[in-house]
Amino acid sequence: MDYSTHRHTDVHDHAAHSAHEGHGPHAGHGHHAGASWGTAAKATLHCLTGCAIGEILGMVIGTALMWGNVQTMVLAIALAFLFGYSFTLFAVRRAGLDFKTAIKVALAADTVSIAVMELVDNGIIALVPGAMDAHLSDGLFWGALLGGFAVAFVITTPVNKWMIGRGKGHAVVHAYH
């Protein structure tokens, strides 16, 4: 065999390789398949921070205004989404995204994570006897709220791991870091 005409190089031609269907750094979802538990936990903690700030603020406002449980919970959930999205929005805006694109990225990155978190932690608060009627000065209120956040973190982390592993959720934000 005559190897004199054979082109040999140690440099891999990524452009040619990427042209093949299913190859390339962002083809399919294999690029994110190795999402670690640490990455998922970090994404969940990021989400939980915004949710907790919004939810606690909503509960404080609703209680201060002497609203009923439903109105207070609706405000708390709305503020949890607002603050959860805001954390991502500010981060991707700092990375240089225009406002419209930053909103799209925040919605794509956080909606499922925040929704699962809110469903779980508000469900726990609703299920703990007396927690819905407890006041801000009651240990039962804070115990149910913090316990709900802890359980929501444990349940939402595998959801985020699964989504990041498929290039969804917080994986969308990683392109802008």
Side-chain angles (χ1 to χ4, degrees):
M1 211 181 238
D2 182 10
Y3 290 103
S4 62
T5 60
H6 180 75
R7 183 178 161 227
H8 179 76
T9 178
D10 288 333
V11 178
H12 183 74
D13 186 353
H14 291 287
H17 185 70
S18 293
H20 296 294
E21 185 178 338
H23 293 89
H26 298 289
H29 301 291
H31 177 67
H32 300 282
S36 71
W37 283 105
T39 299
K42 185 177 177 183
T44 305
L45 187 58
H46 168 90
C47 186
L48 178 63
T49 302
C51 288
I53 291 168
E55 195 160 323
I56 291 169
L57 184 60
M59 299 239 181
V60 168
I61 291 169
T63 301
L65 296 175
M66 294 189 267
W67 287 359
N69 290 337
V70 173
Q71 296 91 340
T72 299
M73 192 172 274
V74 168
L75 176 62
I77 292 169
L79 290 177
F81 272 91
L82 178 71
F83 277 86
Y85 287 139
S86 294
F87 277 30
T88 299
L89 181 67
F90 292 132
V92 295
R93 288 282 292 150
R94 271 195 314 262
L97 265 62
D98 63 272
F99 190 72
K100 185 177 178 181
T101 303
I103 294 261
K104 289 178 183 178
V105 168
L107 292 173
D110 294 331
T111 300
V112 172
S113 183
I114 295 171
V116 170
M117 197 162 294
E118 287 303 300
L119 180 67
V120 172
D121 77 61
N122 283 288
I124 288 172
I125 292 168
L127 292 174
V128 171
M132 292 293 290
D133 296 319
H135 297 282
L136 294 175
S137 59
D138 294 338
L140 178 60
F141 168 81
W142 292 103
L145 183 65
L146 297 176
F149 288 151
V151 173
F153 178 83
V154 168
I155 291 174
T156 307
T157 299
V159 171
N160 281 332
K161 183 180 186 315
W162 181 81
M163 289 180 57
I164 293 167
R166 278 141 192 84
K168 309 285 185 201
H170 279 266
V172 176
V173 174
H174 292 265
Y176 303 102
H177 284 273

